[in-house]
């Protein structure tokens, strides 16, 4: 197990390095500097600015320094919001984004797996087909389409919930977290159904039945764990999808999270901010993937006791 | 023990041989797949819906009198109506929504197709090379894929858009270039397993050159998975493009796409809900149709399900 | 009273290609403690017969006819009644022992749950009984094995564990579906030895499904030869091996090497393939592959008794002459 976790860690590090390196050089080869977006600055001021942001050093020096900064989680100053560092912007948005993301992820897991297991048990019945068709719609309607539709129905039409904003109250969390979770629920339901059906047809489930265990026990003791393993390994990509989705959801519901900074940064060509968010999220996803893999390995004795 | 000398070698005994000869129907993979696909009503409905959508966006603008850029000065934000001639109404600038949804659809579908071809090209080349060469090269090539795989795609695409400016060709390349990883994995796995199949060995043993093996055996057998994958990648790519356009980072005015239209519609939600509903419906229906078709193709072509 | 009375058992499967007739009117009896071998090619319906008796057919499968176990009808039992019998009075072990064990549970958990469920034992005594059972099937260091997982054990070891699991509740009947097919040859003979030993020591009756006639000769009291879901011949082991009455039985015997006969030098495959189970031919199902087929075979033969408690489904009055001796003569 220790062996496995080290091996897995060894493969996460190069991913991180690729991420940072690509991001760094992309910015550097970008046409035009960060300061020529507005009116042209006098050369001496530009030089001053470049010196201030240490853009006048050789590329390799900048790269190494950048690596060091990233390791210390220092993303530097924002190019657009001159008084803010990227760290401050991220720290300000993170609690909001994480609350939203965590709620969505929990909703997705809870409903996705339940619906999936249920559909698997009803395999090839009308209920199963209906559920899976709805799930397919859920996957096909992107959350930036679903979100305004939800607003139209529940905020503008019925007036039950606020259409946007964020003050930490539950009523303002409902629509955005549902919009964020819906496609994920559909996706997890499909994964769960598929793996549950596969497991239920496997030899060891036949053995469990041949042992005379009641169907409920066959399901709970023997089938559930292997059926949910694919969902566990989907958690990494799911987290990535939630982070991606939060970018549009935060924009639609005017929620002051990292996502809205990111979009604004992208539109303003705020290089350091965009890159800071990309790397921050990248690291987050890589770390999450690593943790998920460890949990998976721990749950699967074939990896846990692999020599 | 006298019998031993006259007893032929034990393996495989005649009984086992007889058992191996189970009746096999002489249907080819493709005929078989076609029969399975025909039974899948959802997939057929998806295909039908796609044909309708493609025909609509192709000839719709030709039959429609309005232009997607030029406003109708008499009608701002009017609901769908036969009287005004704006079948889907107009937007806040007085532009005909039907025309815009059709023109936007052309862009969305085109992006889906072209970016998928880009990812197909890179993915097949990369995956087939890794799978065919095998060994250490394969190991390193796939490690690189794994490493890139863990990156947050969408953020990277956005980063690319920010750095290189927003133009449509960059969208093709950016989306295609990040989407090839799945293809590479699938093709590599398939190539690897094909390479060791008996019929490839047989072809080689009977003196076929490497080129012949690849052209006659490996490529035809890869076509199935590739077809499935393409039908599942196109909706993904359309989704990515509309996501970018929704954020204002994708297709720029005067061009438009479904994602951009959804964005515009979402901003006029209270005054002109139809400007959200029509592009949203077209986008969702297209993705829905592709997903069902792709699912059906996978079920039809995936030999594991037999 | 016979332990098991199977009458006119029929198993069909609904598939997209049509209805598959896997078992067609199978009847046989099994006495307590007896060992019955069911032999036949793949697809002859052996496994489906066993699964139908256990109530474990796939969802698209349907069984009709009658299977009486100690007088109790098994077909059509409710699920809860079935679960009371399975694993306790009737056990089954499968072809591929490694995949038949749950890879996510330790061997101990998988054994113990049988006893806690059927015998209401506490974990402690259940554990002790499981370890004792593992010893009986000659597993070394059973305490350690209890903590291990299936992937850490060899195929032979896993099959021993499956056998131990099947015998935990001292069932009246053990169904073994090709228990050695997936194992190495040397391990096969060890498992067969174990099975023989157990069938002699315990009062458990065994249905042994196999295509290995050598195993049948060594282990079984009675043999049932199946073809296309029907009994072709049924008899005690000695008379059937000495003097097969059905051309198919004869073909099977000729297709394995034997050391106990002068004329065993030539091995013979049965030509042709088993019939399509979706559209079964009229008449004798073996007709197309039979060297002795004649006009009468276009009718479907009945399973009829002859000699002393022997049954065959064939119109031939006399014994089929062994082909090899003809040529040797």
């Amino acid at each position: 197990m220790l062996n496995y976790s080290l091996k897995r860690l060894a493969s996460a590090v190069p991913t991180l390095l690729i991420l940072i390196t690509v991001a760094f050089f992309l910015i550097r080869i970008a046409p035009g500097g960060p300061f020529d977006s507005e009116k042209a600055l006098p050369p001496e001021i530009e030089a001053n600015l470049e010196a201030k942001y240490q853009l006048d050093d050789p590329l390799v020096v900048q790269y190494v320094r950048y690596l060091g900064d990233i390791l210390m989680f220092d993303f530097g100053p924002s190019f657009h919001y001159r008084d803010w560092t990227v760290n401050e912007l991220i720290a300000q948005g993170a609690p909001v984004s994480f609350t939203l993301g965590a709620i969505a992820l929990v909703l997705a897991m809870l409903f996705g797996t339940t619906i999936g297991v249920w559909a698997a048990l009803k395999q090839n019945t009308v209920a199963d087909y209906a559920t899976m068709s709805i799930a397919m719609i859920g996957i096909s309607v992107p959350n930036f389409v679903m979100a305004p539709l939800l607003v139209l129905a529940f905020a503008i039409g019925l007036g039950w919930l606020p259409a946007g904003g964020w003050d930490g109250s539950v009523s303002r969390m409902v629509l955005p977290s549902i919009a964020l979770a819906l496609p994920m629920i559909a996706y997890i339901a499909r994964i769960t159904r598929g793996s549950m059906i596969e497991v239920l047809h496997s030899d060891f489930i036949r053995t469990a039945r041949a042992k005379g265990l009641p169907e409920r026990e066959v399901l709970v003791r023997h089938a559930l764990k292997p059926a949910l393993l694919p969902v566990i390994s989907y958690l990494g990509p799911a987290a990535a999808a939630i982070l991606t989705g939060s970018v549009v959801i935060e924009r639609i519901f005017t929620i002051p999270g990292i996502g809205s900074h990111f979009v604004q940064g992208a539109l303003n060509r705020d290089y350091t901010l965009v890159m800071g968010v990309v790397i921050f999220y990248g690291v987050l996803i890589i770390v999450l993937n690593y943790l998920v893999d460890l949990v998976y390995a721990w749950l699967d004795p074939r990896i846990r006791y692999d020599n | 023990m006298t019998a031993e000398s006259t007893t032929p070698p034990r393996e495989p005994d005649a009984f086992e041989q007889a058992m191996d000869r189970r009746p096999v129907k002489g249907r080819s993979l493709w005929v078989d797949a076609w029969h399975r696909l025909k039974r899948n009503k959802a997939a057929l409905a998806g295909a039908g819906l796609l044909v309708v959508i493609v025909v609509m966006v192709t000839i719709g603008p030709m039959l429609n009198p309005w232009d997607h850029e030029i406003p109708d000065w008499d009608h701002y934000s009017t609901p769908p109506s036969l009287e005004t001639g704006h079948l889907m109404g107009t937007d806040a600038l007085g532009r005909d929504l039907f025309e815009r949804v059709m023109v936007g659809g052309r862009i969305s579908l085109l992006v889906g197709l072209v970016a998928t071809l880009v990812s197909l090209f890179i993915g097949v080349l990369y995956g087939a090379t890794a799978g065919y060469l095998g060994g250490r090269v394969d190991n390193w090539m796939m490690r690189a894929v794994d490493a890139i795989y863990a990156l947050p795609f969408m953020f990277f695409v956005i980063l690319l858009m920010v750095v290189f400016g927003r133009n449509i060709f960059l969208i093709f390349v950016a989306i295609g270039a990040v989407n090839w990883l799945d293809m590479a994995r699938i093709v590599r796995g398939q190539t690897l397993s094909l390479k060791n199949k008996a019929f490839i060995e047989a072809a080689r043993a009977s003196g076929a050159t490497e080129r012949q093996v690849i052209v006659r055996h490996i490529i035809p057998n890869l076509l199935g998975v590739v077809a499935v994958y393409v039908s599942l990648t196109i909706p993904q790519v359309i989704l990515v493009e509309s996501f970018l356009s929704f954020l204002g980072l994708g297709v720029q005015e005067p061009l438009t796409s479904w994602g951009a239209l959804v964005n515009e519609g979402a901003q006029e939600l209270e005054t002109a809900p139809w400007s959200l509903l029509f592009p949203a419906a077209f986008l969702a229906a297209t993705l829905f149709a592709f997903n069902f078709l792709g699912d059906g193709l996978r079920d039809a072509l995936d030999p594991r399900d037999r | 009273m016979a332990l098991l009375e199977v009458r006119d058992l029929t198993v069909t499967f609904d598939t997209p290609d049509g209805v598959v007739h896997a078992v067609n009117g199978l009847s046989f009896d099994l006495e307590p403690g007896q060992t019955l071998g069911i032999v036949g090619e793949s697809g002859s319906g052996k496994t489906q017969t066993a699964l139908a008796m256990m109530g474990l057919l796939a969802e698209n499968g349907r069984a009709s006819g009658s299977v009486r176990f100690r007088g109790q009808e098994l077909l059509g039992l409710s699920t809860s009644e079935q679960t009371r019998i399975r694993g306790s009075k009737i056990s089954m072990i499968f072809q591929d022992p490694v995949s038949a064990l749950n890879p996510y549970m330790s061997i101990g958990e998988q054994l113990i749950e049988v006893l806690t469920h059927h015998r209401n034992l506490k974990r402690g005594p259940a554990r002790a009984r499981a370890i004792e059972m593992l010893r009986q099937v000659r597993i070394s260091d059973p305490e350690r094995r209890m903590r291990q997982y299936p992937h850490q054990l060899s195929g032979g070891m896993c099959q021993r564990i499956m056998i131990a699991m099947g015998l935990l509740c001292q069932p009246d009947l053990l169904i073994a579906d090709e228990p050695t097919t997936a194992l190495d040859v040397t391990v096969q003979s060890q498992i067969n030895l174990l099975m023989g030993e157990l069938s002699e020591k315990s009062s458990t009756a065994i249905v042994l499904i196999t295509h290995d006639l050598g195993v049948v000769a060594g282990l079984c009291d009675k043999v049932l030869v199946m073809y296309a879901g029907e009994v072709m011949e049924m008899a005690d082991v000695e008379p059937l091996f000495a003097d097969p009455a059905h051309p198919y039985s004869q073909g099977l015997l000729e297709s394995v090497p034997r050391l106990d006969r002068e004329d065993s030098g030539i091995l013979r495959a049965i030509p042709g393939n088993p019939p399509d189970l979706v559209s079964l031919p009229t008449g004798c199902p073996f007709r197309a592959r039979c060297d002795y087929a004649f006009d009468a075979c276009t009718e479907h033969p009945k399973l009829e008794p002859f000699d002393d408690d022997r049954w065959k489904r064939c119109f031939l009055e006399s014994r089929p002459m062994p082909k090899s001796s003809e040529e040797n003569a």
Side-chain angles (χ1 to χ4, degrees):
Chain A
M1 185 71 192
L2 184 71
N3 218 338
Y4 175 81
S5 61
L6 287 177
K7 228 161 54 185
R8 217 11 222 87
L9 191 63
S11 73
V13 172
T15 309
L16 269 175
L17 245 136
I18 292 179
L19 174 75
I20 296 168
T21 310
V22 172
F24 175 82
F25 284 102
L26 259 183
I27 297 294
R28 290 299 176 266
I29 58 171
F35 308 115
D36 48 29
S37 51
E38 293 138 40
K39 56 184 182 258
L41 296 164
E44 58 271 27
I45 296 184
E46 191 156 341
N48 268 343
L49 273 172
E50 289 201 343
K52 181 185 166 201
Y53 294 113
Q54 292 172 309
L55 295 178
D56 48 356
D57 286 338
L59 212 55
V60 182
V61 176
Q62 288 187 41
Y63 175 63
V64 173
R65 186 169 54 227
Y66 190 71
L67 272 182
D69 289 348
I70 299 290
L71 279 180
M72 309 303 291
F73 274 96
D74 178 5
F75 296 117
S78 160
F79 281 171
H80 186 78
Y81 306 99
R82 296 282 156 84
D83 299 333
W84 292 74
T85 65
V86 173
N87 284 39
E88 285 166 340
L89 287 169
I90 290 178
Q92 192 195 40
V96 177
S97 291
F98 286 156
T99 310
L100 182 62
I103 296 175
L105 199 58
V106 170
L107 283 180
M109 286 296 285
L110 221 61
F111 285 98
T113 51
T114 313
I115 294 171
V117 168
W118 184 77
L121 295 180
K122 301 261 170 198
Q123 197 199 350
N124 296 336
T125 63
V126 177
D128 174 32
Y129 291 138
T131 316
M132 283 304 116
S133 300
I134 294 172
M136 191 60 113
I137 296 175
I139 290 174
S140 303
V141 181
N143 39 28
F144 59 87
V145 171
M146 185 58 81
L149 290 178
L150 287 176
V151 171
L152 191 60
F154 294 100
I156 297 171
L158 297 166
W160 289 353
L161 292 161
W166 187 268
D167 53 10
S169 68
V170 174
S171 66
R172 290 192 193 276
M173 293 181 188
V174 175
L175 284 184
S177 47
I178 289 180
L180 198 49
L182 271 180
M184 195 84 17
I185 292 176
Y187 206 82
I188 291 179
R190 275 167 59 91
I191 297 179
T192 311
R193 174 183 178 271
S195 73
M196 191 63 171
I197 287 174
E198 201 182 314
V199 169
L200 285 177
H201 284 103
S202 66
D203 282 2
F204 65 85
I205 292 300
R206 191 176 58 184
T207 306
R209 290 191 176 127
K211 280 169 160 179
L213 299 180
E215 200 55 30
R216 187 173 35 81
E217 223 165 303
V218 171
L219 201 69
V220 175
R221 281 178 62 91
H222 287 265
L224 209 53
K225 186 171 159 187
L228 291 185
L229 277 177
V231 180
I232 302 278
S233 57
Y234 176 65
L235 270 181
I242 292 236
L243 291 181
T244 311
S246 71
V247 172
V248 283
I249 295 297
E250 287 178 9
R251 184 181 154 103
I252 293 167
F253 291 94
T254 53
I255 295 169
I258 297 178
S260 42
H261 285 317
F262 183 67
V263 177
Q264 215 42 55
L267 293 169
N268 294 336
R269 296 192 140 212
D270 189 343
Y271 289 170
T272 42
L273 177 58
V274 169
M275 200 154 56
V277 173
V278 170
I279 290 172
F280 179 69
Y281 275 180
V283 171
L284 199 69
I285 288 169
I286 290 166
V287 169
L288 270 174
N289 269 316
Y290 178 61
L291 292 179
V292 164
D293 274 7
L294 287 194
V295 170
Y296 187 98
W298 184 76
L299 286 173
D300 188 343
R302 279 171 298 188
I303 305 178
R304 199 181 348 155
Y305 296 109
D306 195 27
N307 303 319
Chain B
M1 279 309 182
T2 47
E4 209 172 24
S5 54
T6 52
T7 305
R10 157 88 182 91
E11 46 148 34
D13 83 26
F15 183 58
E16 284 161 0
Q17 273 184 358
M19 290 195 1
D20 276 339
R21 273 189 261 113
R22 280 189 254 160
V24 181
K25 280 189 187 154
R27 290 196 293 198
S28 83
L29 173 75
W30 294 98
V31 176
D32 208 30
W34 174 237
H35 282 286
R36 294 156 147 270
L37 192 63
K38 269 201 304 199
R39 279 204 296 265
N40 189 336
K41 300 214 173 58
L44 288 188
L49 187 56
L50 276 181
V51 171
V52 172
I53 291 173
V54 169
V55 170
M56 269 184 87
V57 302
T58 313
I59 63 170
M62 298 176 195
L63 305 177
N64 193 32
W66 307 102
D67 186 275
H68 73 279
E69 284 181 61
I70 303 166
D72 175 356
W73 305 108
D74 299 326
H75 299 98
Y76 297 100
S77 283
T78 52
S81 141
L82 281 176
E83 272 169 49
T84 59
H86 298 292
L87 296 176
M88 294 183 186
T90 55
D91 66 6
L93 298 176
R95 294 175 297 191
D96 180 58
L97 200 59
F98 177 84
E99 185 71 16
R100 288 182 68 72
V101 169
M102 294 304 121
V103 172
R106 286 179 176 180
I107 298 291
S108 286
L109 290 173
L110 189 70
V111 171
L113 208 64
V114 176
T116 301
L117 288 179
V118 172
S119 79
L120 184 70
F121 180 76
I122 305 175
V124 170
L125 206 66
Y126 193 95
T129 310
Y132 197 76
L133 294 179
R136 196 176 295 166
V137 182
D138 171 43
N139 192 8
W140 280 106
M141 286 178 81
M142 289 334 276
R143 270 200 197 178
V145 167
D146 286 343
I148 304 170
Y149 210 82
L151 300 178
F153 285 130
M154 197 67 95
F155 294 95
F156 240 92
V157 175
I158 294 177
L159 190 61
L160 283 174
M161 305 305 301
V162 171
V163 170
F164 293 108
R166 298 147 208 168
N167 79 60
I168 192 160
F169 291 103
L170 190 65
I171 298 181
F172 292 147
V173 178
I175 299 175
V178 271
N179 249 312
W180 60 274
L181 295 166
D182 279 315
M183 189 80 234
R185 278 185 168 176
I186 294 168
V187 170
R188 178 251 178 192
Q190 203 72 9
T191 312
L192 211 57
S193 78
L194 279 173
K195 204 170 70 163
N196 301 322
K197 286 264 167 65
F199 67 93
I200 303 280
E201 290 293 319
R204 239 179 235 140
S206 60
T209 63
E210 288 297 285
R211 209 187 115 85
Q212 282 171 322
V213 169
I214 295 174
V215 171
R216 289 213 197 122
H217 296 283
I218 299 209
I219 290 179
N221 279 289
L222 280 177
L223 279 179
V225 261
V226 169
V228 173
Y229 178 80
V230 164
S231 64
L232 290 171
T233 302
I234 293 177
Q236 276 179 29
V237 172
I238 293 179
L239 190 67
V240 174
E241 184 279 321
S242 44
F243 178 93
L244 291 173
S245 294
F246 177 84
L247 292 177
L249 294 167
V251 176
Q252 301 293 309
E253 292 286 348
L255 279 181
T256 191
S257 79
W258 285 334
L261 289 169
V262 169
N263 185 25
E264 288 167 22
Q267 281 155 22
E268 296 162 36
L269 206 51
E270 288 179 69
T271 50
W274 57 86
S275 59
L276 168 68
L277 291 177
F278 285 112
F282 270 83
L283 176 58
T286 305
L287 298 177
F288 191 63
F290 267 118
N291 281 331
F292 261 126
L293 180 63
D295 252 27
L297 279 177
R298 181 173 50 203
D299 291 348
L301 284 165
D302 193 340
R304 271 179 311 177
D305 270 8
R306 263 153 226 232
Chain C
M1 184 177 61
L3 177 72
L4 189 68
E5 291 175 345
V6 176
R7 290 292 173 273
D8 208 23
L9 177 66
T10 300
V11 178
T12 56
F13 293 92
D14 286 324
T15 71
D17 293 326
V19 177
V20 173
H21 301 269
V23 180
N24 303 302
L26 189 75
S27 302
F28 67 90
D29 285 351
L30 183 65
E31 302 299 326
Q34 218 180 23
T35 301
L36 169 74
I38 300 184
V39 295
E41 290 164 279
S42 301
S44 59
K46 301 166 297 185
T47 300
Q48 298 311 327
T49 302
L51 291 176
M53 294 194 291
M54 294 290 287
L56 289 175
L57 286 176
E59 284 135 31
N60 60 344
R62 249 199 317 274
S64 59
S66 156
V67 176
R68 283 180 177 278
F69 174 74
R70 306 175 131 221
Q72 186 187 13
E73 179 60 55
L74 293 184
L75 299 186
L77 276 188
S78 73
T79 323
S80 68
E81 288 168 316
Q82 276 179 350
T83 55
R84 222 166 297 146
I85 294 173
R86 282 184 209 150
S88 151
K89 300 204 172 72
I90 305 179
S91 293
M92 181 162 178
I93 62 176
F94 300 96
Q95 200 175 94
D96 181 359
V98 182
S99 67
L101 288 166
N102 189 330
Y104 303 97
M105 284 169 82
S106 68
I107 301 299
E109 282 174 86
Q110 300 190 50
L111 290 169
I112 288 169
E113 70 176 354
V114 177
L115 291 164
T116 52
H117 179 71
H118 285 298
R119 291 284 180 270
N120 277 325
L121 289 185
K122 292 266 180 303
R123 278 187 72 84
R127 207 183 125 75
R129 168 98 181 97
I131 290 175
E132 182 202 321
M133 201 66 227
L134 288 183
R135 269 206 192 94
Q136 275 186 40
V137 295
R138 304 198 192 296
I139 281 184
S140 59
D141 201 358
E143 282 90 355
R144 192 164 73 95
R145 302 298 177 209
M146 293 281 281
R147 286 191 304 273
Q148 287 186 309
Y149 287 84
H151 76 278
Q152 294 170 298
L153 306 173
S154 67
M157 189 96 80
C158 285
Q159 196 58 290
R160 282 168 198 269
I161 287 163
M162 283 298 292
I163 294 172
M165 193 185 284
L167 296 177
L168 274 175
C169 295
Q170 291 160 311
D172 297 322
L173 173 62
L174 177 72
I175 302 173
D177 183 10
E178 310 228 15
T180 58
T181 307
L183 305 175
D184 290 343
V185 181
T186 48
V187 182
Q188 280 184 3
S189 59
Q190 289 169 14
I191 296 288
N192 286 328
L193 269 176
L194 178 68
M195 298 271 301
E197 202 178 298
L198 293 171
S199 79
E200 267 176 32
K201 268 200 290 193
S202 71
S203 57
T204 301
I206 297 177
V207 171
L208 178 69
I209 293 168
T210 181
H211 62 261
D212 188 342
L213 287 167
V215 176
V216 172
L219 285 181
C220 299
D221 305 313
K222 251 171 94 172
V223 194
L224 194 156
V225 179
M226 275 186 87
Y227 185 78
E230 289 181 307
V231 178
M232 291 291 117
E233 184 171 1
M234 186 161 61
D236 286 346
V237 164
E238 289 83 15
L240 188 130
F241 272 70
D243 174 25
H246 195 286
Y248 181 59
S249 319
Q250 190 210 338
L252 285 183
L253 284 172
E254 280 184 0
S255 66
V256 285
R258 294 177 65 178
L259 304 179
D260 60 336
R261 285 205 171 180
E262 287 287 309
D263 53 23
S264 63
I266 295 162
L267 283 181
R268 224 165 244 300
I270 303 173
N273 296 315
D276 181 1
L277 294 175
V278 174
S279 50
L280 284 169
T282 57
C284 175
F286 188 58
R287 179 170 46 127
R289 299 169 73 186
C290 182
D291 290 335
Y292 306 93
F294 60 109
D295 299 346
C297 300
T298 52
E299 298 288 313
H300 196 116
K302 286 195 173 50
L303 187 63
E304 279 173 307
F306 67 100
D307 285 4
D308 184 22
D309 196 26
R310 295 187 64 173
W311 298 73
K312 70 170 178 185
R313 189 187 293 279
C314 187
F315 291 115
L316 276 184
E317 292 295 332
S318 56
R319 297 280 190 277
M321 291 293 286
K323 274 306 207 51
S324 38
S325 53
E326 258 170 41
E327 277 166 14
N328 285 359

